[in-house]
Amino acid sequence: MNDSCDAITQSDPEGEIRRRRLTYQRVSSSCIAEVSYDLTDEILAVRFHNGREYRYAGIPPETHQALLAAASIGRYFNAKVRDAYPHHRTR
């Protein structure tokens, strides 16, 4: 099941803010509930089972694909994403 959420992404040099709808997909993980990826701005949104949500910037498409294909999404996320990219909590 997919769920959508409005995301504010900033990408133009004048600081104009645009709204973009992110579509989340459920994943099989004991810590991560859903992920979404914005290919244009290379933003990975991660929702955890505890309700927290974070956005990670500068995520290459290959990293997003590898996350979804990983035998353990949580382990891949912790090893390759969590502390490697700028992020902020949204919920």
Side-chain angles (χ1 to χ4, degrees):
M1 173 193 272
N2 287 343
D3 183 23
S4 293
C5 173
D6 280 336
I8 296 175
T9 57
Q10 186 172 343
S11 65
D12 83 24
E14 291 81 36
E16 183 176 320
I17 295 175
R18 313 182 266 132
R19 286 198 171 270
R20 176 169 298 140
R21 184 162 294 280
L22 294 178
T23 302
Y24 285 82
Q25 67 182 92
R26 293 185 192 273
V27 294
S28 179
S29 171
S30 61
C31 65
I32 298 172
E34 301 172 312
V35 298
S36 180
Y37 184 68
D38 181 328
L39 180 61
T40 302
D41 292 329
E42 294 188 335
I43 294 174
L44 176 70
V46 180
R47 286 182 181 162
F48 293 88
H49 288 292
N50 65 10
R52 290 186 180 146
E53 181 178 321
Y54 292 83
R55 299 258 162 82
Y56 293 81
I59 304 289
E62 301 80 24
T63 300
H64 171 244
Q65 293 166 356
L67 174 73
L68 296 179
S72 171
I73 291 173
R75 282 191 191 134
Y76 183 90
F77 172 80
N78 286 331
K80 304 290 185 178
V81 176
R82 186 182 71 187
D83 296 325
Y85 295 93
H87 60 278
H88 69 278
R89 184 175 171 182
T90 58
R91 274 195 243 200

